Amino acid sequence: MLEVAGIGKDYRVDGAVHTAIDALSFHVAEGELVCIVGPSGCGKTTLLRMCAGLLAPTRGTAAVDGREVDGPPEGTAVVFQEYGRSLFPWMRVGANVELPLKRLGLTRAERRDRVAEALRLVDLEGKERAWPWQLSGGMQQRTAIARAVAFRPRLLLMDEPFAAVDAQTRADLEDLIRDLWSRLGITVVFITHDIDESVYLGQRVLVLSSPPTTMRAEIHIDLGPDRDQLETRSGPAFAKLRGQVWGEIQAAKRDA
Amino acid sequence: MLEVAGIGKDYRVDGAVHTAIDALSFHVAEGELVCIVGPSGCGKTTLLRMCAGLLAPTRGTAAVDGREVDGPPEGTAVVFQEYGRSLFPWMRVGANVELPLKRLGLTRAERRDRVAEALRLVDLEGKERAWPWQLSGGMQQRTAIARAVAFRPRLLLMDEPFAAVDAQTRADLEDLIRDLWSRLGITVVFITHDIDESVYLGQRVLVLSSPPTTMRAEIHIDLGPDRDQLETRSGPAFAKLRGQVWGEIQAAKRDA
Amino acid sequence: MRSLVRKALLAVGLPAVLFAAWWLASAGSTSFYFPPLSEIVAEFGETWTAERWRDDVLPSVARLAAGYAASCAAGVALGLLIGRVRWLFHATEPVLEFARAVPPPVLVPVIMLFAGIGDGMKIAVIVSGCLWPVLLNTVAGVRSVEPVQLDTAAAYRLGRARTLTAVVLPGASPRIVTGMRQALAIGVILMVVSEMFAAQSGLGFAIVQFQRSYAIPAMWSGILLLGCLGAALAALFSCADRAVLHWYHRQRTEEA
Amino acid sequence: MSSERFHSPRPRSKGPRPRPVPPLFLGAAGVAAALLAGQLLPLTPLVDPRYFPTTGAVLAALADDLARAEFWRALGDTLVAWAAGLAIAVAAGAALGILIGSLPPVRAATASTIEFLRPIPSVALVPLAVLLFGTRLPSTLLLVVYAAFWQVLVQVLAGVRDVDPVAADTAKSLRLTPWQRLAHLAWPTALPYLMTGVRLAATVALVLAVTAELVIGSPGLGHEIAVAQTSGAAERMYALILVAGALGVAVNLGVRALEREVLAWHPSVRGEAR
Amino acid sequence: ATTAACGGGGEAGDGGTDAVSVGVIPIVDVAPIYLGIEQGFFASRDIEVELTEAQGGAAIVPGVAAQEFDFGFSNITSLLLAQSAGLPVEIVANGVASTGVAGEDFGAVMVPADSPIQTPADLAAATVAVNTLNNIGDTTIRESVRLDDGDPSGIGFTEVAFPDMPAQLSAGNVDAAWAVEPFKSMIEAEGGRPVAWNYVDAAPDLTVAAYFTTSQLSQEDPDLVRRFSEAIAESLQYATDNPEAVRDILGTYTDISPDIRAALTLPAFPAEVNRASVERLAELGEADGIFENPPDVDALLP
Ligand SMILES: Nc1ncnc2c1ncn2[C@@H]1O[C@H](COP(=O)(O)OP(=O)(O)OP(=O)(O)O)[C@@H](O)[C@H]1O
Ligand SMILES: Nc1ncnc2c1ncn2[C@@H]1O[C@H](COP(=O)(O)OP(=O)(O)OP(=O)(O)O)[C@@H](O)[C@H]1O
Ligand SMILES: [Mg+2]
Ligand SMILES: [Mg+2]
């Protein structure tokens, strides 16, 4: 599904070249759920934006379904780290969620249903007519998630999507994403800085190094398809994997 | 130090009145570190903005040092949840951090030193000349923290200040705040949605209910003054407190 | 209700003071070109009779409306195009800057060559001046649309047309409205200028005639009328602005 | 934000992406196209070359002018009136705009007066200007400043209003002094608006400088245009207009350079810089 | 040798030269004053003239009223208008006059070659371009139409600046245009033809324009005004005697091309204002209702 080959990105900063990502290669299979973790500023967002076709790589390529990415691939939804800025302040919450649906050839009723359902799933029922700036930070972030959910993408790219919500809501949203993923068979790339979350959610966790960024480790999460917030998290396998990821991140930071 | 008495806030939404905060009363003593947790959208940010004198309460009052708050009190620093928008895009990172120092009557050299030190503390050494939009999300958030740290406030109000940083950095920043707090004797009000964090950091954790918000619980964290990321967190007392806070939040959400 | 009264008082307060000052300062003036305000006011009633309104004022205002509407439409359309298509921006900029710098007294004869001397010419003259503030502001607005919003539109593949209408246009609208506000007064000015050429009637024509025939109080009354016209149009414009950009203004005035 | 943003999905192409054409070249191409149109249009039956001379004829007249000392003196006079008028208008417009814009009560109280004064045409003020200042530079300046000032003021007023609410809260919570809030919040926010205002005012000032010279007869390009006009010398008139237009283009180049400097942080410029 | 007194105001320097500023329109009509300066007619009367070229009355009349200019040049109807409106202006010297000969005047109502308009009466339902409405052009044209037994009330007068008339006429935007030199010659060069000689029709040897000042100056410094008038009179005489010099000097302050300069019809430059023609213009203006109060010709004339 998503094939990243030797991708790298240099930013020009005041004339000098700053290598954010050196070279990264990995593959995400169709219907897989991969989490990406790494130190702050290591290039996760950069990587995601290159995969989404929003940023041209300096070297290497990303390909979706075998086609090199040179613009956002069809059927992709992105939840941006800057959730607040990615909502359109001139549209109410409902319209924000509905906007991407408009080109899918749905009837008005279908769209309305999808919007209502998505908002219900992120616990924002009845907030259709609110303006984005009338929402709390976490509610804004959930609106952005609802927009992606309503779109029913084939490929879902999420950049720290639960950073602004409380622990309980976060757990609910994690289960929501896993549920959607397993039910609809979508492919998910999930950036997070919460190690527990990465282990709980993913089939695989990719750990990035500090910049110039390379792949530090690739950890398979063999916790099985059925996961539960209480049981899974309290098991010894979870603790072991958790420790493994934590160790890699610490090592990544130390090496910087 | 900070005395909140029967404070409440109603927002007008499309003509209707939406009670975000019903009534809250609590006291934060001089030199205390209090964490506030609560479900997403319960009014934490609203409360903080009222304490900071940025938002007029509908009822009740907040008072700092016995003086009712009707504008930002002197010696207060706020770290906003929308860290990205609270940085001035027309100033480089160094200038952003330096800005509040300009009215403190420091020499240029003193200011420069404070800026450099604050940036070093949040692990952004050498980023003085970068523009905010050249930083990753986590780096922007750390810049906002550095601005507050460099200011050396008497009262520090933080709204989910570590939401965008990775686990390791988060732990470092937690220790930084605890260190500053204990060394400088500042008063800290810290909003977070990370339960572990609230227990690890605070002397007291206030749990808010769902809107219309009231105080759900006030939990004293008797973990002593010296805390350690590994030891403290792995102790049974920590687990108990953690469970207690978690239970309250779940109950808060359930009652909604 | 109270605020309405307050607004009205604020709106007429300063003009009333200035008017009174003018009245006092000019009372007993013997200067030919600066007659007493009392004389001008007396002249106002005599000059601007119903007949004059029908024959001079209303046709002028109709031309103004036509020219203004055309400028806004053309300015926004061109501005969106030029602002979005970078090569077009660079290719057209010098030519447009050139056209902008040609003064109406030499431009009008050229316009007359192409558009004759009827209403078409006068409307063209109004457009020749009103276009620029709208165009420049639209281009600037389009180019400063929040990048994350453009990324969102691109990621969901909204398509050119929808990105333009749902994202770029509203994103640039605060600037566009500023341009339109500028253009309003310029339109009134060019309405007068256009009637200095090949005219037989009109508000501007009348003022110029008064000036030429040394009917100075009548000329002043015409200038007063122009001012009133401008203020009235601006008031209308503000209402429209509040309605169209309510999301923008409310976000900014909510709590301040 | 994104340095090399992909725009819309492009047809895929292997190999290096084509280098973008440099802006200067595109601008030159645009000018060339316009000049060519100016050459060809009068050769069609649409317009009469006697009244709308071909580019070639105009350039020839321009070459004659460039050799004359009076032309350069006139150009200098116009530039002085323009630069002085623009400087005053921009300084006053920016200062008053920031001030009025940051003080809501003042803003509310002055709004109607501003809207009343704005639509009063400078040309209607000609006799008054002459009466007050005679036919020399101050008269021209009065008209130039009166026209250009409003352009700057209105832009800056809108710019100050654009302050991001979170940034405003930040400034408040930092307890910045009123002066610091002006300098570090209102001013930078209004700056992109001001730059547009400067670009509008720059040409309006030029237009008014020329017009005032034309009508009042104070020395300058406008006066030369008036002489050419009243003599029926179409080629020379268009040559002089060409000069006025070229001044406009030059002014714009200057403002663009200034923009790149002072708005380096702004999305509209930073996307382009790379 | 002259010692320049500081400008503005024209106060007589003690025993020195009076600096005098004059507002003029850079057209054929003011050639004599340029000639007079060149010939030293002013210098010999201890006057140093500084000319300011304005586009029209909008700047000159207030300029004179504010004593920014000591003297100005304006057409008679405009001066009558100013006088009737209460502006204290006085004519001090003649400016320019019609040649008084139909077919050989410096201004005429022109039509394109193929126009159906043949006589002044045909203008009755036409659109006619004049440089300024409610001024000397339309009042005299109405008279031409009346004299030809037409009804002038139906004429559609439209303001078009003289320089734009040839183009507008050939574009068909107006049926006829009242043009003066050099534009009259230009229209003729394109095949246009005159249909009415409105100056000639209005009055014999019509005085078209004159030099004027404020009553204040003429009272304060009658000597200066007298010397200025004499110098102008001498200049007018010189221009009358040396038409070639007039054509030559046009090349210095206008851009009129040499062939047009050679071909154009020069106006007459009599030394004296034709009082009867001024009265006639006042009557015509009054008949057309362009004055608010009847002008006082006696007060206006020297
Ligand atoms: N537009 C830009 N110009 C220059 N440098 C940039 C730009 N955007 C990002 N960078 C740099 O690239 C590096 C990676 O940034 P990126 O936003 O991808 O990090 P991240 O992994 O998402 O971090 P975080 O977890 O903090 O969001 C950082 O060092 C950042 O400073
Ligand atoms: N400007 C506003 N207008 C109307 N309602 C508002 C406004 N700001 C906040 N609210 C509402 O007030 C409630 C509390 O918002 P607040 O931002 O204080 O929540 P919070 O506790 O900070 O949530 P989070 O953890 O998600 O940031 C929410 O229901 C929100 O919708
Ligand atoms: Mg990131
Ligand atoms: Mg919040």
Side-chain angles (χ1 to χ4, degrees):
Chain A
M1 172 77 185
L2 173 65
E3 179 77 47
V4 175
I7 217 166
K9 179 73 197 177
D10 299 343
Y11 286 109
R12 308 199 114 265
V13 178
D14 287 332
V17 170
H18 168 74
T19 300
I21 299 183
D22 186 16
L24 282 176
S25 301
F26 61 91
H27 177 77
V28 180
E30 177 100 40
E32 208 183 352
L33 201 170
V34 171
C35 291
I36 298 180
V37 296
S40 174
C42 75
K44 302 182 290 297
T45 300
T46 304
L47 172 64
L48 186 101
R49 285 163 48 80
M50 292 193 293
C51 293
L54 296 169
L55 187 69
T58 309
R59 52 193 161 269
T61 57
V64 168
D65 290 334
R67 285 191 43 166
E68 187 179 319
V69 169
D70 57 358
E74 178 60 65
T76 308
V78 182
V79 177
F80 289 92
Q81 186 172 16
E82 296 134 308
Y83 53 90
R85 291 184 185 185
S86 88
L87 296 180
F88 302 117
W90 48 87
M91 291 180 181
R92 294 175 192 263
V93 166
N96 260 293
V97 176
E98 190 186 358
L99 183 63
L101 309 182
K102 288 214 170 145
R103 64 176 184 86
L104 298 185
L106 305 173
T107 67
R108 181 175 295 242
E110 283 171 325
R111 290 206 302 264
R112 212 186 29 233
D113 288 351
R114 278 219 205 173
V115 170
E117 193 208 346
L119 286 176
R120 190 179 51 72
L121 288 175
V122 299
D123 203 11
L124 283 176
E125 215 160 0
K127 288 285 180 191
E128 273 96 342
R129 311 250 336 131
W131 295 98
W133 40 269
Q134 291 177 331
L135 302 182
S136 77
M139 291 157 90
Q140 287 176 15
Q141 194 165 34
R142 284 180 277 150
T143 306
I145 296 169
R147 182 163 61 187
V149 166
F151 185 63
R152 302 202 187 143
R154 285 190 55 224
L155 173 62
L156 178 56
L157 305 172
M158 304 179 97
D159 196 351
E160 311 193 3
F162 307 149
V165 297
D166 63 282
Q168 175 62 49
T169 308
R170 184 171 200 134
D172 295 345
L173 289 173
E174 284 165 5
D175 289 338
L176 168 66
I177 293 298
R178 274 198 67 89
D179 177 55
L180 288 175
W181 164 72
S182 61
R183 259 199 308 127
L184 305 177
I186 55 184
T187 313
V188 182
V189 176
F190 192 101
I191 293 175
T192 179
H193 46 250
D194 184 328
I195 294 165
D196 289 39
E197 183 168 88
S198 71
V199 173
Y200 178 72
L201 274 184
Q203 297 180 292
R204 215 158 20 119
V205 175
L206 307 180
V207 185
L208 304 186
S209 75
S210 292
T213 303
T214 53
M215 185 71 72
R216 170 141 199 116
E218 204 176 322
I219 298 168
H220 280 267
I221 307 295
D222 40 9
L223 292 173
D226 293 328
R227 303 186 186 179
D228 178 88
Q229 289 285 358
L230 280 183
E231 267 171 50
T232 309
R233 282 188 194 253
S234 53
F238 188 90
K240 207 183 119 247
L241 287 165
R242 193 186 173 289
Q244 210 175 329
V245 175
W246 172 253
E248 290 293 349
I249 290 190
Q250 268 191 310
K253 281 216 66 168
R254 242 194 340 266
D255 291 357
Chain B
M1 172 79 186
L2 174 65
E3 179 76 46
V4 174
I7 216 166
K9 180 73 195 176
D10 299 343
Y11 286 109
R12 309 200 115 266
V13 178
D14 288 331
V17 170
H18 167 75
T19 300
I21 300 183
D22 186 16
L24 281 176
S25 301
F26 61 92
H27 177 78
V28 180
E30 179 102 42
E32 207 182 355
L33 201 170
V34 172
C35 290
I36 298 180
V37 296
S40 173
C42 75
K44 300 181 294 295
T45 301
T46 303
L47 172 63
L48 187 101
R49 278 162 49 81
M50 290 191 296
C51 293
L54 296 170
L55 186 67
T58 310
R59 53 193 160 267
T61 56
V64 169
D65 290 332
R67 285 193 42 171
E68 188 176 322
V69 170
D70 56 358
E74 178 60 65
T76 307
V78 183
V79 177
F80 289 90
Q81 185 173 18
E82 293 136 309
Y83 52 90
R85 284 167 72 184
S86 93
L87 296 179
F88 294 146
W90 45 83
M91 291 181 177
R92 293 175 193 264
V93 166
N96 260 295
V97 176
E98 189 185 358
L99 182 62
L101 309 182
K102 287 215 170 140
R103 62 178 184 83
L104 297 187
L106 304 173
T107 68
R108 182 176 295 241
E110 282 172 325
R111 289 205 304 263
R112 211 185 30 234
D113 287 352
R114 278 219 206 173
V115 170
E117 192 209 346
L119 285 177
R120 190 178 52 72
L121 287 175
V122 299
D123 203 11
L124 282 177
E125 216 160 0
K127 287 286 180 190
E128 273 96 343
R129 311 251 335 131
W131 295 100
W133 42 272
Q134 291 176 330
L135 301 183
S136 77
M139 290 156 90
Q140 288 177 17
Q141 193 165 36
R142 282 180 279 150
T143 306
I145 296 170
R147 180 162 64 188
V149 166
F151 184 62
R152 301 198 189 146
R154 284 189 56 223
L155 174 62
L156 178 57
L157 305 172
M158 304 179 97
D159 196 353
E160 310 193 4
F162 307 150
V165 297
D166 62 281
Q168 175 63 49
T169 308
R170 185 173 199 132
D172 294 346
L173 290 173
E174 284 166 5
D175 289 337
L176 168 67
I177 293 298
R178 274 199 68 90
D179 177 55
L180 289 175
W181 164 71
S182 61
R183 259 199 310 127
L184 305 178
I186 55 186
T187 313
V188 182
V189 176
F190 191 101
I191 293 175
T192 178
H193 46 249
D194 184 328
I195 294 166
D196 289 39
E197 183 168 271
S198 71
V199 173
Y200 178 73
L201 275 184
Q203 296 181 294
R204 210 156 27 117
V205 174
L206 309 180
V207 185
L208 304 186
S209 75
S210 292
T213 303
T214 54
M215 185 73 72
R216 176 149 191 111
E218 205 178 321
I219 299 168
H220 281 268
I221 307 294
D222 39 10
L223 292 173
D226 293 327
R227 303 188 186 177
D228 178 87
Q229 289 285 354
L230 281 182
E231 267 172 50
T232 310
R233 282 185 193 257
S234 53
F238 188 90
K240 206 185 120 248
L241 287 164
R242 192 186 173 289
Q244 210 174 332
V245 175
W246 172 253
E248 291 292 349
I249 291 191
Q250 268 189 313
K253 283 215 65 169
R254 242 194 340 264
D255 290 357
Chain C
M1 195 57 223
R2 277 269 279 301
S3 80
L4 260 181
V5 172
R6 212 179 84 92
K7 263 189 202 150
L9 277 179
L10 276 174
V12 298
L14 184 60
V17 170
L18 293 177
F19 206 75
W22 182 6
W23 188 285
L24 291 178
S26 68
S29 158
T30 53
S31 160
F32 185 75
Y33 278 95
F34 296 100
L37 183 54
S38 51
E39 202 175 306
I40 296 171
V41 170
E43 189 67 38
F44 194 98
E46 275 170 47
T47 307
W48 304 103
T49 55
E51 216 172 298
R52 259 244 150 69
W53 275 88
R54 198 191 58 221
D55 296 342
D56 285 327
V57 181
L58 293 183
S60 288
V61 173
R63 283 193 293 265
L64 170 63
Y68 181 70
S71 318
C72 290
V76 171
L78 266 178
L80 286 177
L81 199 67
I82 294 174
R84 288 287 283 169
V85 185
R86 191 167 292 184
W87 68 265
L88 201 62
F89 172 79
H90 290 304
T92 52
E93 191 177 29
V95 178
L96 291 179
E97 291 303 320
F98 181 94
R100 228 148 60 75
V102 178
V106 290
L107 188 66
V108 177
V110 181
I111 292 180
M112 289 199 307
L113 284 183
F114 293 95
I117 57 173
D119 284 348
M121 177 277 278
K122 295 184 183 79
I123 291 171
V125 172
I126 293 173
V127 172
S128 78
C130 284
L131 180 67
W132 308 116
V134 181
L135 179 68
L136 259 60
N137 272 297
T138 305
V139 171
V142 167
R143 289 158 63 86
S144 44
V145 172
E146 170 64 51
V148 181
Q149 287 166 3
L150 291 177
D151 279 348
T152 306
Y156 285 103
R157 291 174 64 112
L158 287 191
R160 262 175 217 276
R162 188 157 278 130
T163 302
L164 217 55
T165 52
V167 180
V168 176
L169 192 61
S173 55
R175 295 288 313 246
I176 296 176
V177 166
T178 306
M180 289 180 174
R181 182 181 286 277
Q182 285 273 26
L184 201 57
I186 295 177
V188 176
I189 291 174
L190 281 161
M191 174 189 87
V192 175
V193 171
S194 74
E195 290 170 4
M196 294 167 72
F197 299 87
Q200 293 163 328
S201 68
L203 175 53
F205 174 80
I207 293 175
V208 173
Q209 278 304 311
F210 294 144
Q211 188 183 319
R212 288 223 196 94
S213 54
Y214 309 100
I216 300 305
M219 179 194 89
W220 275 109
S221 79
I223 291 180
L224 275 186
L225 182 62
L226 277 183
C228 294
L229 178 66
L233 290 177
L236 270 182
F237 186 90
S238 287
C239 292
D241 174 16
R242 300 234 146 250
V244 175
L245 290 189
H246 59 108
W247 58 270
Y248 178 81
H249 295 300
R250 269 181 64 196
Q251 208 177 342
R252 281 167 170 74
T253 49
E254 192 87 324
E255 302 295 343
Chain D
M1 187 76 271
S2 53
S3 50
E4 302 112 48
R5 173 193 304 280
F6 287 122
H7 279 286
S8 46
R10 244 181 263 123
R12 285 184 310 139
S13 59
K14 288 281 163 201
R17 283 178 302 138
R19 276 173 115 244
V21 189
L24 218 61
F25 180 82
L26 283 171
V31 172
L35 290 178
L36 193 67
Q39 175 72 22
L40 296 181
L41 205 58
L43 304 180
T44 67
L46 277 174
V47 276
D48 191 325
R50 271 177 310 221
Y51 313 125
F52 194 80
T54 61
T55 307
V58 173
L59 290 180
L62 180 61
D64 284 348
D65 250 326
L66 294 182
R68 288 173 41 208
E70 297 116 78
F71 165 78
W72 292 103
R73 210 172 307 127
L75 185 63
D77 285 331
T78 301
L79 285 181
V80 167
W82 168 79
L86 181 62
I88 297 172
V90 170
L96 280 176
I98 293 273
L99 212 66
I100 295 175
S102 330
L103 301 171
V106 180
R107 184 188 196 118
T110 51
S112 55
T113 310
I114 290 173
E115 298 300 348
F116 182 91
L117 292 175
R118 250 170 11 107
I120 294 174
S122 259
V123 279
L125 301 179
V126 164
L128 310 175
V130 169
L131 213 60
L132 291 174
F133 296 117
T135 57
R136 269 153 260 274
L137 185 63
S139 246
T140 310
L141 274 185
L142 174 75
L143 301 184
V144 170
V145 171
Y146 190 83
F149 169 74
W150 301 114
Q151 312 263 324
V152 181
L153 184 76
V154 169
Q155 289 289 133
V156 174
L157 282 179
V160 174
R161 179 169 271 185
D162 198 35
V163 168
D164 185 295
V166 178
D169 273 352
T170 305
K172 245 185 261 166
S173 77
L174 296 177
R175 285 176 63 109
L176 297 186
T177 61
W179 171 246
Q180 282 176 321
R181 252 194 261 176
L182 283 193
H184 299 307
L185 186 64
W187 171 253
T189 306
L191 203 52
Y193 284 75
L194 172 64
M195 291 317 283
T196 305
V198 170
R199 301 179 64 210
L200 286 170
T203 34
V204 165
L206 187 62
V207 164
L208 256 295
V210 171
T211 307
E213 290 158 4
L214 209 142
V215 177
I216 302 177
S218 41
L221 269 190
H223 177 61
E224 300 291 310
I225 291 177
V227 170
Q229 226 175 13
T230 48
S231 307
E235 282 88 1
R236 172 145 199 265
M237 187 186 89
Y238 280 98
L240 291 166
I241 295 175
L242 210 58
V243 173
L247 282 182
V249 177
V251 166
N252 182 57
L253 283 180
V255 179
R256 275 259 170 267
L258 188 67
E259 251 175 21
R260 266 197 300 280
E261 232 6 78
V262 300
L263 293 184
W265 52 272
H266 195 258
S268 66
V269 173
R270 76 193 191 210
E272 188 164 278
R274 266 160 289 133
Chain E
T2 55
T3 51
C6 50
E11 262 96 70
D14 293 309
T17 304
D18 289 310
V20 154
S21 60
V22 184
V24 295
I25 312 170
I27 50 175
V28 177
D29 307 24
V30 295
I33 197 169
Y34 283 88
L35 276 176
I37 294 168
E38 188 189 70
Q39 296 297 321
F41 301 150
F42 291 93
S44 65
R45 292 176 175 83
D46 289 336
I47 296 176
E48 188 187 307
V49 178
E50 187 202 344
L51 294 178
T52 299
E53 295 169 2
Q55 202 187 26
I60 295 180
V61 176
V64 172
Q67 307 212 331
E68 164 75 14
F69 301 135
D70 301 307
F71 301 97
F73 180 86
S74 176
N75 82 54
I76 301 295
T77 305
S78 288
L79 291 174
L80 289 167
L81 273 167
Q83 204 279 330
S84 87
L87 207 59
V89 288
E90 283 180 19
I91 290 176
V92 296
N94 192 26
V96 70
S98 156
T99 59
V101 185
E104 282 172 33
D105 204 2
F106 75 105
V109 180
M110 307 293 293
V111 294
D114 54 0
S115 168
I117 298 171
Q118 301 294 342
T119 65
D122 293 343
L123 290 170
T127 323
V128 181
V130 292
N131 71 325
T132 315
L133 277 183
N134 298 327
N135 211 291
I136 193 164
D138 49 347
T139 56
T140 52
I141 291 168
R142 284 199 192 94
E143 179 65 3
S144 288
V145 173
R146 271 192 290 264
L147 288 179
D148 199 37
D149 294 331
D151 173 14
S153 61
I155 309 176
F157 286 108
T158 299
E159 275 199 15
V160 177
F162 284 131
D164 300 327
M165 283 180 181
Q168 293 308 319
L169 195 61
S170 86
N173 291 333
V174 290
D175 301 324
W178 171 58
V180 297
E181 294 292 3
F183 304 102
K184 179 180 141 289
S185 291
M186 289 183 184
I187 295 172
E188 273 173 336
E190 285 159 32
R193 59 185 161 79
V195 290
W197 300 92
N198 49 319
Y199 282 162
V200 180
D201 294 341
D205 301 322
L206 179 82
T207 296
V208 174
Y211 295 89
F212 69 98
T213 185
T214 54
S215 314
Q216 201 184 345
L217 183 68
S218 74
Q219 275 157 27
E220 277 171 9
D221 201 345
D223 177 56
L224 174 68
V225 172
R226 184 185 49 76
R227 280 182 285 143
F228 182 79
S229 305
E230 284 172 12
I232 293 279
E234 189 175 1
S235 306
L236 291 168
Q237 189 58 49
Y238 183 83
T240 310
D241 297 341
N242 300 282
E244 284 319 304
V246 173
R247 291 184 202 276
D248 286 343
I249 198 129
L250 280 180
T252 63
Y253 70 93
T254 73
D255 293 333
I256 303 174
S257 65
D259 36 334
I260 300 246
R261 247 188 293 154
L264 56 78
T265 310
L266 290 179
F269 298 114
E272 290 300 322
V273 176
N274 177 347
R275 187 185 177 93
S277 76
V278 175
E279 279 165 355
R280 184 75 189 123
L281 281 178
E283 284 165 26
L284 289 177
E286 259 184 279
D288 289 340
I290 66 171
F291 302 120
E292 213 165 306
N293 312 304
D296 181 352
V297 175
D298 289 328
L300 184 63
L301 289 179

